[in-house]
Amino acid sequence: MFVAVVPAYNEEKTIGSVVQSLFAHVDKVIVVDDCSCDNTYKQALTSGAIVLQHKINRGQGAALQTGHDYALQIGADYVLHFDGDNQFCVEDIKPALKKLKDSGVDILFGSRFLDNRTQLPWFKKYILFPVAKIFNKICGVDLEDTHNGFRILNKKALEQITIEQDRMAHATEIPAKAKKLGLQYVEFPVKVVYHKFGQGLGGGFKVARDLVFGKFVK
Amino acid sequence: MLILFQILFTMFVLFAIVNVIKRKQEGLLGPKGLFFWLIFWLLAIVAVLWPNSTTILANYLGIGRGTDFVIYVALVIIFYLLFKLHIKLESVGRDITKVVRREAVGEGVRNKE
C-alpha cells in the first residue's frame, strides 16, 4: 500500500485540493493536523483523508513521525512525504515511486537542483542553500537538496528511522540516520512552486541550533 | 564590622540553603544537585564575608582583582546552567511530542474502527 503523509499547519486554503489531487496517485492520504488554528482539520476530513490531530503544535518533524506510526499500523509499504501548501506537483509521484523501486533503494529524496523546472528565489539559490549545503556536509549529509519535503520511504526505512527532531531539522536528520543505518537512497528531480518564501535565514539558524542541541538530548 | 550588604547576603544565603535542603527532602533534587548547590552557596558566603579570599584565588590564577575572578566564574556557571536548561527543555518537548502522538494515533485507530 502506498500512503501519502501530509503534515499540515494552518493550510485550510490548500489542503482540500492537495488531498484530492493525491488520491489519483496513492492508495491512502494521511493528513497530520499539527494543532492548526484554522479549519485545516475539517477541510482535510471533508476531502476524504484520514486525519490525525496533534492537540498541541509540535512541528513538522513530529507530524511526519506521527504519520509514519499510523502508516505502519495500517500496513503501508511505501510512504510519501508531501507538503500541504500545494508547492509540489503530483505528476512527480509516479515516476518517483518507479525510480525508487527500480533502483532498489530504501529512500528517495526529491531535489530542486536536478532539473531546471523550479524557479528559486535569488536569496535561497545563492545564499541560503550553499550555506545549508556546507552545514549539511558537516553533519554527514551529501544530498544536493536536503531541505526538500518530497520524499518516499519504503517499509524498511519507516521501521528503522525514528524522527526525533520535532521541527524542521528532521530534513537533515532523515538522510543522516539513513546513512548511519546503512539504508540506500537516491535523489530524484521534483518541481517546487513557490507560493511563499518558506524558511529564511532565521529558520536556518533554528535548524542548526536544533541539530546541535539535539546531540545532547538523551 | 559587617556592612549591611554582608548581613543581607548572609540572610539570603541561609534562605537559599534551607530551600535547597527542602527540595532534596521533596525528592526534586538529587545528591549531585544537593552537593553542587551547597558548595555554591557556601563559597558565595565565604566570598562575601571575606572579600580578600577571592583576591588570593584570583592572584593564584593570574587574574588581577578578586571581583573579576568572581564575575568570570559566575559567567561560566550561568552559561553552563543555561545550556543544561535548554537541553532539559528540548528533552521535555520530546516527551510532550510522544504523548501528543500517542493520542493522535490512538484516536485515528479508534475512528477507523
Side-chain angles (χ1 to χ4, degrees):
Chain A
M1 192 195 328
F2 188 23
V3 175
V5 171
V6 185
Y9 179 66
N10 292 344
E11 308 282 11
E12 66 176 2
K13 288 180 184 157
T14 52
I15 196 72
S17 60
V18 168
V19 169
Q20 277 162 9
S21 64
L22 277 168
F23 276 124
H25 304 271
V26 300
D27 301 311
K28 278 193 165 70
V29 180
I30 301 170
V31 171
V32 184
D33 172 31
D34 198 17
C35 196
S36 296
C37 311
D38 63 6
N39 277 323
T40 300
Y41 181 83
K42 277 186 183 168
Q43 291 291 334
L45 212 58
T46 313
S47 56
I50 298 164
V51 190
L52 307 176
Q53 193 180 35
H54 280 179
K55 295 288 190 292
I56 302 171
N57 179 261
R58 299 309 303 151
Q60 196 183 69
L64 286 170
Q65 184 57 43
T66 299
H68 284 190
D69 284 4
Y70 189 80
L72 280 171
Q73 286 205 21
I74 60 172
D77 301 304
Y78 296 95
V79 158
L80 164 76
H81 291 178
F82 204 83
D83 286 357
D85 58 0
N86 227 354
Q87 69 164 352
F88 292 130
C89 298
V90 287
E91 292 76 28
D92 284 327
I93 297 171
K94 274 189 179 156
L97 182 65
K98 186 176 183 305
K99 172 80 176 176
L100 177 85
K101 287 177 176 172
D102 291 349
S103 314
V105 297
D106 304 300
I107 309 174
L108 176 139
F109 292 102
S111 173
R112 287 161 278 197
F113 305 122
L114 297 179
D115 62 18
N116 49 15
R117 286 183 295 158
T118 302
Q119 300 298 312
L120 280 163
W122 183 90
F123 181 73
K124 283 202 169 194
K125 190 172 183 178
Y126 296 106
I127 309 283
L128 207 55
F129 284 132
V131 174
K133 201 173 172 184
I134 294 167
F135 183 79
N136 284 319
K137 274 234 156 107
I138 295 168
C139 293
V141 176
D142 52 2
L143 295 177
E144 280 299 313
D145 187 11
T146 308
H147 286 264
N148 187 314
F150 186 107
R151 302 176 197 93
I152 303 178
L153 293 83
N154 69 6
K155 198 170 185 175
K156 184 181 168 193
L158 282 175
E159 285 170 343
Q160 291 194 16
I161 293 178
T162 303
I163 301 170
E164 291 173 302
Q165 288 288 349
D166 285 347
R167 294 171 286 270
M168 302 308 287
H170 68 276
T172 304
E173 185 193 13
I174 294 171
K177 281 192 169 166
K179 204 170 177 180
K180 199 176 166 188
L181 293 163
L183 297 168
Q184 301 296 309
Y185 52 83
V186 67
E187 283 191 277
F188 186 78
V190 295
K191 184 182 176 185
V192 176
V193 181
Y194 284 91
H195 303 293
K196 49 192 173 190
F197 187 79
Q199 279 197 94
L201 200 58
F205 279 121
K206 280 180 191 165
V207 168
R209 180 201 65 192
D210 286 349
L211 287 169
V212 170
F213 281 114
K215 298 269 179 207
F216 297 94
V217 179
K218 284 174 193 165
Chain B
M1 191 181 137
L2 291 175
I3 58 171
L4 183 62
F5 171 72
Q6 287 173 317
I7 295 168
L8 290 175
F9 192 85
T10 307
M11 284 167 65
F12 177 75
V13 168
L14 287 174
F15 166 75
I17 287 176
V18 168
N19 258 314
V20 167
I21 293 167
K22 267 189 187 170
R23 296 285 169 272
K24 171 74 176 112
Q25 284 170 344
E26 288 166 4
L28 297 170
L29 203 64
K32 267 196 242 171
L34 176 76
F35 180 75
F36 172 81
W37 286 113
L38 284 181
I39 294 292
F40 177 84
W41 287 117
L42 289 174
L43 285 176
I45 212 163
V46 167
V48 168
L49 293 180
W50 296 279
N52 285 339
S53 59
T54 56
T55 310
I56 296 164
L57 262 175
N59 290 336
Y60 183 72
L61 293 168
I63 300 167
R65 295 187 310 165
T67 321
D68 291 342
F69 171 72
V70 171
I71 289 169
Y72 295 156
V73 171
L75 271 177
V76 169
I77 290 172
I78 288 167
F79 275 110
Y80 177 70
L81 289 179
L82 270 177
F83 173 76
K84 291 275 284 183
L85 199 64
H86 201 98
I87 300 297
K88 187 75 190 166
L89 276 176
E90 184 64 33
S91 173
V92 170
R94 288 187 185 188
D95 289 342
I96 291 171
T97 299
K98 282 178 194 162
V99 176
V100 170
R101 177 172 300 133
R102 197 173 301 156
E103 195 194 348
V105 172
E107 212 170 80
V109 171
R110 280 194 298 278
N111 288 343
K112 193 183 166 216
E113 286 163 358

